[in-house]
Amino acid sequence: MKTTFQALDQFLYAHRAFWQLVPFEHQCLPWEHAYPALCKWLKSISNEELFRIDGERALLYTYLSPFFPDLPTVLQLIENIPQQSNEAPEVPEHFKQHIKGRKWQQIAQLAATLGESEAYLDWCGGKGHLGRLLSWYYENPVTVIERNADLCEQGKGFASKYDLPMRYVCADVLNSCQSHEFTQKHHAVALHACGDLHIRFMQSAALANTDKISLSPCCYHLTVMEKYQPLSIEGRFSKLVLRKHDLKLPLQETMTSGQRIQRLRHQEIEWRLGFDVLQREITGNTQYLPVPSIPKSMLSDTFEAFCLWAAEQKSIQIPEQINFAQYLEQGKQRRQVSARIDLVRHAFRQVLEYWLILDRAMYLTDQGYEAQITQFCAPEVTPRNILIRAQKG
Ligand SMILES: C[S@@+](CC[C@H](N)C(=O)[O-])C[C@H]1O[C@@H](n2cnc3c(N)ncnc32)[C@H](O)[C@@H]1O
């Protein structure tokens, strides 16, 4: 793990100018002088082509490797993560009624992968769907820890309906220590617990000497820390300084959405960037000015209405007789720039995620565990399909 981590670390550090940047802040491609060939290619591709390349990992790497000749070697290190192929348990239809298709696939495949244990702990488990399946399938007790009392109540309802030995602990895991809930015999599991939640999970489980720890991390940016604090000893040697914006990069791979949703997403970006050009001119501000999230219904209104709303949010006075169409046009041009910067950033997305995963796995190794990195389902089911499995050595 250490050598892979070091190779990824060096690669990410050497190429940080290509991924550690905020695309919205740039009015033109930032690598024009240093990397003219890359910029020439980025400008030559159509929006449709860009969208196609961005939508498929293999294609993205094929197109970008000529500009980053060490990319394929680094990718080789993170390819072939073993996929656990345990068969998902068959359950009665009514058991999974409340769970959406892809979520169910994740839960079922994870439950199969985790295997049998004397007891489980489902960290930040929501209604405890995963815990419920584990308890039903392996016929063993499960403790679910969850902050939302309503979800706990609903979970308890399901558990009693199926007469399962489940316990719900309603607690805020960031504001109270829950290590006492872990026992050595537990297989402690955290499925998609965001940022600090899965970090607290690993720390609590390791503190309690829990035999088996499994987690599928997500939302690395949801942390109180301004800068990323590496967890492992090896990680602390890294020269990388990761801020929240950088930590969002691994999550910039969404499942393909419908054309209407995509069109609205593009329109929203154009409006935000168009408003940004306007506010810069009015206020003299030279920084990108983010505005709060908007209700989707606003997107069926006009760009002008959006600008007036955004100006009000930011206490900016818009002068009369503004040619909004001109700013919208500039917004469209800036979206083309930011999409091209993002395309390049996306070539580093998986490498950065693997760096973060290795930091977590090595942290568990530092704590005396044998850690393994696997895939618990196909990336089409969820791009957050990596599972770190650790067992007390
Ligand atoms: C992304 S959901 C994952 C739920 C479940 N593990 C799954 O994969 O379906 C994260 C869960 O963490 C819970 N949560 C958020 N902050 C928490 C906290 N501070 N303490 C305990 N639970 C928390 C949320 O209520 C939510 O149910």
Side-chain angles (χ1 to χ4, degrees):
M1 274 186 200
K2 258 189 203 171
T3 23
T4 304
F5 181 83
Q6 286 163 353
L8 304 191
D9 190 57
Q10 277 169 20
F11 175 76
L12 287 168
Y13 189 76
H15 296 91
R16 63 194 186 285
F18 295 97
W19 59 272
Q20 271 196 311
L21 70 167
V22 183
F24 276 15
E25 284 176 358
H26 294 270
Q27 315 213 43
C28 55
L29 295 174
W31 316 291
E32 291 274 8
H33 298 300
Y35 300 93
L38 172 65
C39 294
K40 191 172 167 206
W41 174 72
L42 287 169
K43 286 180 189 169
S44 73
I45 52 172
S46 67
N47 288 341
E48 289 69 32
E49 220 172 340
L50 181 144
F51 195 67
R52 194 173 61 90
I53 298 170
D54 207 11
E56 210 186 299
R57 279 182 190 176
L59 214 51
L60 177 70
Y61 296 141
T62 305
Y63 275 94
L64 283 158
S65 291
F67 303 107
F68 304 104
D70 40 357
L71 180 63
T73 317
V74 168
L75 289 173
Q76 265 176 12
L77 298 172
I78 66 174
E79 268 171 4
N80 309 323
I81 304 170
Q83 186 154 1
Q84 302 265 334
S85 55
N86 296 3
E87 205 149 297
E90 283 291 327
V91 301
E93 240 355 91
H94 53 86
F95 195 87
K96 54 180 178 184
Q97 235 167 32
H98 322 268
I99 314 170
K100 292 197 184 115
R102 274 197 188 133
K103 189 73 211 175
W104 175 257
Q105 274 177 281
Q106 291 167 34
I107 286 176
Q109 290 182 23
L110 180 57
T113 305
L114 294 173
E116 186 164 6
S117 277
E118 256 180 67
Y120 301 89
L121 186 145
D122 182 2
W123 183 259
C124 297
K127 292 179 196 167
H129 289 314
L130 172 65
R132 187 155 52 93
L133 180 57
L134 289 169
S135 178
W136 179 81
Y137 191 55
Y138 298 112
E139 299 179 6
N140 276 323
V142 173
T143 302
V144 179
I145 305 188
E146 166 57 47
R147 181 179 61 178
N148 184 320
D150 196 32
L151 298 182
C152 289
E153 280 314 306
Q154 292 185 51
K156 279 183 205 168
F158 293 138
S160 71
K161 185 169 163 191
Y162 295 100
D163 199 19
L164 299 172
M166 291 181 74
R167 231 180 106 236
Y168 281 77
V169 177
C170 188
D172 180 339
V173 299
L174 296 180
N175 285 313
S176 59
C177 177
Q178 295 298 322
S179 290
H180 59 277
E181 292 294 349
F182 294 75
T183 67
Q184 214 173 334
K185 288 182 178 158
H186 268 131
H187 188 160
V189 188
L191 171 61
H192 299 163
C194 308
D196 283 345
L197 297 177
H198 69 252
I199 292 178
R200 185 60 67 91
F201 165 75
M202 290 191 297
Q203 291 165 338
S204 308
L207 191 69
N209 255 321
T210 306
D211 268 347
K212 290 181 189 161
I213 303 176
S214 295
L215 69 149
S216 178
C218 79
C219 302
Y220 306 93
H221 62 288
L222 293 181
T223 166
V224 289
M225 297 294 181
E226 270 313 308
K227 290 182 203 157
Y228 182 70
Q229 307 291 318
L231 301 158
S232 64
I233 297 169
E234 189 60 39
R236 287 187 216 125
F237 287 109
S238 171
K239 286 194 280 179
L240 283 176
V241 178
L242 301 174
R243 295 180 191 276
K244 284 186 191 171
H245 183 265
D246 306 320
L247 295 173
K248 279 186 192 168
L249 179 60
L251 278 91
Q252 281 192 0
E253 188 174 28
T254 46
M255 304 306 295
T256 327
S257 43
Q259 278 196 345
R260 190 177 156 273
I261 308 245
Q262 273 163 23
R263 189 178 49 75
L264 288 176
R265 197 183 294 145
H266 291 167
Q267 181 189 319
E268 181 173 348
I269 296 172
E270 285 164 4
W271 284 14
R272 285 177 182 278
L273 292 171
F275 172 73
D276 187 55
V277 179
L278 175 61
Q279 71 80 20
R280 283 177 196 237
E281 276 187 24
I282 298 172
T283 62
N285 175 17
T286 53
Q287 303 275 305
Y288 172 72
L289 184 71
V291 292
S293 50
I294 54 167
K296 291 290 162 253
S297 58
M298 191 182 271
L299 292 171
S300 46
D301 210 328
T302 60
F303 174 61
E304 179 173 344
F306 168 77
C307 287
L308 295 173
W309 172 84
E312 197 180 320
Q313 303 299 310
K314 295 288 165 184
S315 309
I316 293 170
Q317 197 73 36
I318 297 193
E320 285 187 8
Q321 312 227 310
I322 284 285
N323 180 355
F324 285 100
Q326 175 207 321
Y327 291 99
L328 178 57
E329 196 44 47
Q330 292 192 56
K332 286 182 180 177
Q333 280 166 20
R334 275 188 60 187
R335 183 175 76 77
Q336 310 241 352
V337 172
S338 87
R340 278 156 181 77
I341 298 175
D342 261 335
L343 184 72
V344 176
R345 294 181 76 229
H346 292 171
F348 299 88
R349 181 174 53 196
Q350 237 190 317
V351 182
L352 178 62
E353 177 155 31
Y354 208 71
W355 184 100
L356 291 162
I357 300 252
L358 281 171
D359 186 37
R360 279 148 183 75
M362 289 190 304
Y363 165 79
L364 290 170
T365 311
D366 295 342
Q367 304 304 310
Y369 286 83
E370 272 171 28
Q372 215 192 341
I373 297 171
T374 65
Q375 300 183 68
F376 69 93
C377 64
E380 293 74 34
V381 178
T382 167
R384 302 279 82 64
N385 68 335
I386 301 240
L387 181 70
I388 303 171
R389 305 188 67 161
Q391 175 138 22
K392 198 83 202 173

